[in-house]
Amino acid sequence: MKQWAFYFDASQCSGCKTCQVACKDKHDHPVGMRWRNVYEVAGGEWKPKGHNWISGIRSYNISMACNHCEDPICMTKCPNKAIYKNGEGLVLIDEKRCMGCHYCAWACPYGALHLDKSKGKMTKCTMCADYIAEGKLPSCVTSCPMRVLEAGELSELRENYGINAESFPLPPPHYTKPALVLKKHPGATAKVNWKVINREEIKNA
Amino acid sequence: MHNSEWSLILFTVLGQFSAGLTTGLLILHLSDFHKTGINLQQTLRKGIMIAAICMVVAMLASFFHLSAPLASVYALSNLKHSWLSREIVMVSIFTGLLAVTALRIWHPGREALKSPWLLLLVTVAGWLMIYTMARIYMLPTVPAWNTPHTLIRFFTSGFITGIGFLLIMPGLIQIKHQSFNNSPMLYIFAGIISASFLIRLAGTFLAGAPVPEENIAFVSQIPLTAILLPWTLWFTGSILLIWQVLKPAAQPTRSGNLKKLAFVLIILAAFIDRYFFYESFYRLGV
Ligand code: SF4
Ligand code: SF4
Ligand code: SF4
């Protein structure tokens, strides 16, 4: 089976959030709903050196939407079987069956599910399935000015970029097997007190 | 309130209360009630009716949690994998059995349930319902809930509130028979409440297990008062109830009022504790 996947290069992402805006624009989302979110991550501290203070602060960004996981916890937990995987490996929601219980949103460790309050139905990134059907790429991918987002067949992305799918704050991949290849920011390997610093912006999005 | 919707608090606390109450009624049925002067028929009638009403209110409340309740017709589609589907089955079975029991007891001319089998069936269904309720929250990606403490919390809440209520029910509270005061049944009830309290206390330590070294963006910070407040209420309510139940009632009215006060403290503790249970939500990742 084909498995569409995202590639994201955290080492070059500028945190401009064009991908977020392009997604909102394409899907005409109301204020407050974002299928793609950019997490601003920072850690480290300032240290005194003689009469000076030296910055040990590091930061990077993670642009994240649904990863159309190979073992989607949202799908297995949904009581209504409202979440399914199509032949392209895309994890999609059958609106008719969704009762808006939020259970999937509790379980997904990528914060990918969002309630459409006007319809009372859960929604999430479809990887612009309509564009894909037309042979085009998802809106976030084509809009990224740094060209750090890609979409393609998981096995090909893994061949090109490796198999990593983890960097703080993303969970270890064994929970859902995300269809994601991620190039870590080189600073992200440091053992510092990493935090998501745009918490207010991201929370409940 | 983000995760701790009032509807879920009401649904879980009332559902567990009903299951605890039917457990108490079953014990009453199996015990030495005939020697105590308790009118079993009256107590069963009231108890089952209250449990059934609470379950109906709980079920109605649960619908307020859904953003698209009409689609709940599909809620049994995933019995193979989803504890939420299984819970909905158990809630329906428990409520259905409660309704059948209530109809049997309230049918004019019927005696109290002579055989305890139906009550046993309702009680077991109630326990299974509590089990499925707890399993819903034990998600591998939610370390705050994925602990045996969730099971302990849900079961003990049901037993303490349900049996606590049985002890203040008018049918029992006004019993003045000396034989009832000395009944081993009271010790059994007091024992269940004390054991539940102690198991909860032990469970708190299980919950305090360190979070695995995994990436978590937003860990919830529960203030100390959030732990101390329900615990103070659980403790005061349980001790007061057990004391009033076991000591010979010199002044039945005063004792009755103190028992009621104890139950109010217990039920308050259950609701506050459940509120903080939902507030404690955080998951791996983002
Ligand atoms: S548009 Fe590209 S560079 Fe900008 S935040 Fe998104 S992924 Fe990063
Ligand atoms: S990222 Fe979340 S919503 Fe998307 S498929 Fe995986 S578990 Fe489901
Ligand atoms: S909110 Fe909808 S899609 Fe999510 S678990 Fe509930 S019914 Fe399924």
Side-chain angles (χ1 to χ4, degrees):
Chain A
M1 191 180 88
K2 188 170 170 65
Q3 175 62 64
W4 276 93
F6 280 119
Y7 165 71
F8 171 63
D9 178 357
S11 71
Q12 300 296 325
C13 170
S14 65
C16 66
K17 298 175 189 166
T18 308
C19 47
Q20 257 184 212
V21 177
C23 173
K24 272 182 84 85
D25 191 36
K26 154 80 173 76
H27 298 283
D28 203 14
H29 285 156
V31 172
M33 162 112 78
R34 288 188 305 275
W35 282 353
R36 180 166 285 281
N37 282 285
V38 177
Y39 297 86
E40 298 170 7
V41 184
E45 57 191 357
W46 288 79
K47 284 196 180 128
K49 191 176 178 195
H51 294 296
N52 300 319
W53 284 83
I54 308 291
S55 169
I57 304 290
R58 300 141 197 269
S59 67
Y60 58 90
N61 305 292
I62 297 280
S63 172
M64 195 48 39
C66 171
N67 291 308
H68 301 273
C69 305
E70 292 183 282
D71 183 13
I73 193 169
C74 58
M75 185 174 94
T76 48
K77 298 295 173 193
C78 172
N80 290 24
K81 284 203 174 162
I83 304 183
Y84 64 99
K85 223 168 151 58
N86 77 2
E88 305 267 292
L90 298 178
V91 176
L92 301 170
I93 297 181
D94 178 353
E95 265 193 11
K96 179 176 90 277
R97 295 182 78 93
C98 172
M99 62 179 174
C101 67
H102 302 71
Y103 196 34
C104 51
W106 284 352
C108 168
Y110 296 94
L113 290 135
H114 309 273
L115 188 75
D116 179 339
K117 291 194 180 106
S118 64
K119 291 186 189 161
K121 304 284 180 175
M122 210 44 93
T123 65
K124 60 183 264 312
C125 156
T126 60
M127 220 186 223
C128 297
D130 51 342
Y131 277 6
I132 283 184
E134 293 168 17
K136 296 195 282 191
L137 286 169
S139 189
C140 54
V141 170
T142 51
S143 71
C144 173
M146 301 297 286
R147 293 285 174 259
V148 297
L149 274 173
E150 281 181 34
E153 167 59 36
L154 179 62
S155 55
E156 283 168 23
L157 293 176
R158 283 185 174 157
E159 231 167 73
N160 295 341
Y161 302 111
I163 57 161
N164 181 57
E166 191 182 353
S167 182
F168 180 89
L170 304 183
H174 67 84
Y175 286 101
T176 64
K177 301 201 179 103
L180 170 73
V181 175
L182 186 143
K183 183 172 175 191
K184 266 190 168 184
H185 188 280
T189 46
K191 295 260 177 273
V192 293
N193 55 339
W194 293 115
K195 278 196 189 91
V196 171
I197 55 169
N198 60 338
R199 187 187 168 124
E200 286 308 310
E201 180 191 324
I202 295 300
K203 209 170 57 170
N204 304 342
Chain B
M1 268 219 262
H2 176 42
N3 293 298
S4 51
E5 283 99 349
W6 65 268
S7 52
L8 287 182
I9 298 176
L10 207 58
F11 168 65
T12 54
V13 172
L14 285 185
Q16 289 152 21
F17 162 79
S18 296
L21 181 54
T22 51
T23 308
L25 291 172
L26 176 70
I27 295 170
L28 201 62
H29 199 317
L30 296 173
S31 65
D32 60 346
F33 69 91
H34 50 279
K35 292 189 212 144
T36 63
I38 294 173
N39 183 337
L40 180 73
Q41 169 130 334
Q42 198 189 48
T43 309
L44 280 183
R45 271 188 177 176
K46 281 187 184 145
I48 290 291
M49 196 47 74
I50 288 165
I53 291 170
C54 284
M55 268 320 290
V56 172
V57 174
M59 279 174 84
L60 289 176
S62 73
F63 276 93
F64 282 91
H65 171 64
L66 306 177
S67 308
L70 290 181
S72 60
V73 290
Y74 299 107
L76 304 186
S77 310
N78 199 4
L79 285 170
K80 198 168 166 201
H81 298 292
S82 178
W83 281 103
L84 186 45
S85 278
R86 295 169 193 163
E87 182 229 34
I88 293 164
V89 169
M90 283 322 301
V91 167
S92 312
I93 292 177
F94 179 58
T95 313
L97 284 171
L98 270 177
V100 170
T101 317
L103 282 177
R104 265 189 72 98
I105 299 178
W106 280 79
H107 194 271
R110 276 211 192 264
E111 266 298 288
L113 295 173
K114 286 241 163 54
S115 137
W117 286 109
L118 186 55
L119 208 48
L120 181 68
L121 207 63
V122 184
T123 305
V124 171
W127 291 350
L128 288 174
M129 178 190 72
I130 298 182
Y131 181 75
T132 53
M133 263 181 189
R135 290 305 304 266
I136 287 176
Y137 298 94
M138 294 165 74
L139 292 161
T141 48
V142 182
W145 293 343
N146 191 23
T147 133
H149 189 225
T150 302
L151 272 171
I152 292 174
R153 227 165 164 167
F154 281 25
F155 270 102
T156 53
S157 173
F159 288 149
I160 299 177
T161 55
I163 290 176
F165 181 75
L166 192 58
L167 289 170
I168 67 148
M169 259 174 66
L172 292 182
I173 208 165
Q174 284 156 11
I175 294 286
K176 295 181 188 78
H177 299 266
Q178 198 55 40
S179 52
F180 180 69
N181 283 337
N182 296 327
S183 164
M185 190 173 49
L186 287 183
Y187 289 91
I188 294 176
F189 286 149
I192 293 176
I193 292 180
S194 323
S196 300
F197 185 80
L198 292 173
I199 292 169
R200 277 224 51 169
L201 197 60
T204 308
F205 293 105
L206 285 177
V211 171
E213 289 271 312
E214 304 201 84
N215 295 337
I216 297 165
F218 310 117
V219 179
S220 60
Q221 301 290 348
I222 297 290
L224 192 62
T225 42
I227 299 163
L228 291 182
L229 181 61
W231 270 108
T232 312
L233 295 171
W234 281 124
F235 184 73
T236 321
S238 302
I239 294 286
L240 184 59
L241 189 61
I242 290 168
W243 174 48
Q244 286 303 312
V245 163
L246 294 186
K247 82 170 183 125
Q251 296 168 286
T253 317
R254 185 166 170 268
S255 171
N257 286 339
L258 283 176
K259 280 186 201 165
K260 283 180 194 158
L261 171 68
F263 181 72
V264 170
L265 296 179
I266 285 173
I267 201 80
L268 257 179
F271 278 107
I272 294 173
D273 181 62
R274 195 53 47 85
Y275 169 79
F276 286 117
F277 170 78
Y278 286 110
E279 283 298 291
S280 70
F281 169 87
Y282 68 88
R283 67 170 165 241
L284 300 178
V286 291

